[in-house]
Amino acid sequence: MTHARPRRSALYMPAANARAIEKARELACDVVILDLEDAVAPDAKETARAQAVEAVRAGGFGAREVVIRVNGLDTPWGRDDLAAAAAAGPDAVLAPKVSGPEDIAAYRAALGGDAELWIMIETCRALFRLDALGAAAAGAGVTAWVIGTNDLAKEMRCRLDAERTPLLGPLSLAVAAARAHGIVVLDGVFNGLEDDAGLERQCDQGAAFGFDGKTLIHPRQIEAANRAFTPAGDEVAWARTIVQAFDSPENAAKGVLRVEGRMVERLHLDEARRLIAVADAIAARG
């Protein structure tokens, strides 16, 4: 069950910074994204690529997923990044600025093999092709979308605060499209490194929208993201009650049940099981 794997916190780490990579092995994030793109200056691209490959091969990240974000195919580094990532074998490769199925096909062809592909949704064109991007995902091994709110806001020329009012429509549509096609979807970053209250509000907002987790730019943001995207104890308890009710032999043929004074349908059962699986996976990490 792909969606049962916790992705509450996905931390970008500049792959040009060897100390940052080493530190990532001890952080409480669920995903480490070794970044070759935005966080790396042009003259450090090759160093970052080599260090990302070395880090993946060395391992030591425990239960954390390790993802390499490559440069775009329209840059001088993109193809070499993809070749190096394919050889290294991270958990996934993250492709930037994907605007349509043709971009997915190009990255898949350049990456080769069957490595998991994650894509950035961060252009205006992508917003009007979300369903097509979702439909193209299964055949290309795309398992997750990452929303690039900074690039999207820049292209839209909108102004963002913690509430992100100009992006509420796009964010909601992105989650709906991802769910329609069974794709994991991660929220964009929060830029205020010292605005703890704003970070908490935005993490809660992302969780309320239905995102699976949030991308982060600093280790100090991990705790807030993990807290917001960890299923609440009462939610997990209710999910277990739903599963137990439908698992009872006398309810095997029933589509609707009355459970503790509430009407529950079988459509709630799959989500209850997913929630329990996520909670159990988080608990297993200690």
Side-chain angles (χ1 to χ4, degrees):
M1 185 182 294
T2 301
H3 286 214
R5 184 165 188 172
R7 274 107 172 196
R8 301 166 296 171
S9 50
L11 178 65
Y12 289 108
M13 299 296 274
N17 187 334
R19 290 183 62 188
I21 294 175
E22 187 60 33
K23 182 178 181 181
R25 291 182 168 93
E26 302 174 355
L27 297 174
C29 55
D30 292 331
V31 183
V32 175
I33 302 176
L34 302 176
D35 193 10
L36 309 183
E37 196 210 15
D38 285 347
V40 179
D43 61 358
K45 295 288 188 183
E46 293 186 6
T47 297
R49 182 192 304 138
Q51 292 187 165
V53 167
E54 181 182 355
V56 171
R57 288 177 173 165
F61 290 91
R64 303 165 191 82
E65 280 182 281
V66 182
V67 178
I68 296 179
R69 178 164 74 166
V70 299
N71 288 281
L73 282 172
D74 59 346
T75 72
W77 313 283
R79 291 194 179 278
D80 288 340
D81 287 351
L82 286 160
D91 292 298
V93 175
L94 177 58
K97 298 179 179 64
V98 171
S99 295
E102 65 279 3
D103 295 330
I104 292 178
Y107 279 107
R108 181 78 270 167
L111 182 60
D114 56 359
E116 279 195 35
L117 183 62
W118 293 13
I119 65 172
M120 300 286 300
I121 304 295
E122 52 186 344
T123 69
C124 292
R125 286 184 63 225
L127 295 181
F128 293 95
R129 306 181 79 185
L130 290 170
D131 188 56
L133 286 166
V142 175
T143 57
W145 289 356
V146 177
I147 310 302
T149 43
N150 281 340
D151 281 273
L152 186 57
K154 178 183 177 182
E155 191 170 311
M156 289 175 61
R157 301 177 190 168
C158 64
R159 299 174 183 174
L160 296 184
D161 55 15
E163 280 67 41
R164 302 182 294 184
T165 303
L167 291 186
L168 296 186
L171 292 174
S172 180
L173 286 172
V175 173
R179 295 289 170 256
H181 294 281
I183 300 168
V184 169
V185 59
L186 302 182
D187 197 3
V189 301
F190 181 71
N191 298 318
L193 292 179
E194 297 182 2
D195 183 2
D196 294 341
L199 171 65
E200 187 170 346
R201 290 200 308 276
Q202 198 170 102
C203 287
D204 288 342
Q205 180 195 55
F209 265 112
F211 283 103
D212 293 290
K214 189 168 183 65
T215 47
L216 312 171
I217 57 174
H218 195 279
R220 76 187 306 272
Q221 298 178 326
I222 294 172
E223 183 179 354
N226 283 351
R227 183 169 57 248
F229 290 95
T230 295
D234 58 345
E235 292 178 336
V236 177
W238 175 241
R240 294 189 192 279
T241 299
I242 292 174
V243 171
Q244 184 177 13
F246 276 106
D247 282 349
S248 296
E250 65 271 21
N251 296 327
K254 295 180 180 178
V256 180
L257 299 178
R258 179 168 180 160
V259 181
E260 296 182 0
R262 297 163 65 176
M263 297 302 295
V264 179
E265 301 177 56
R266 283 201 174 269
L267 63 89
H268 298 115
L269 183 57
D270 286 344
E271 175 58 19
R273 286 177 171 153
R274 187 201 68 82
L275 192 72
I276 292 168
V278 171
D280 287 348
I282 293 169
R285 295 186 179 190

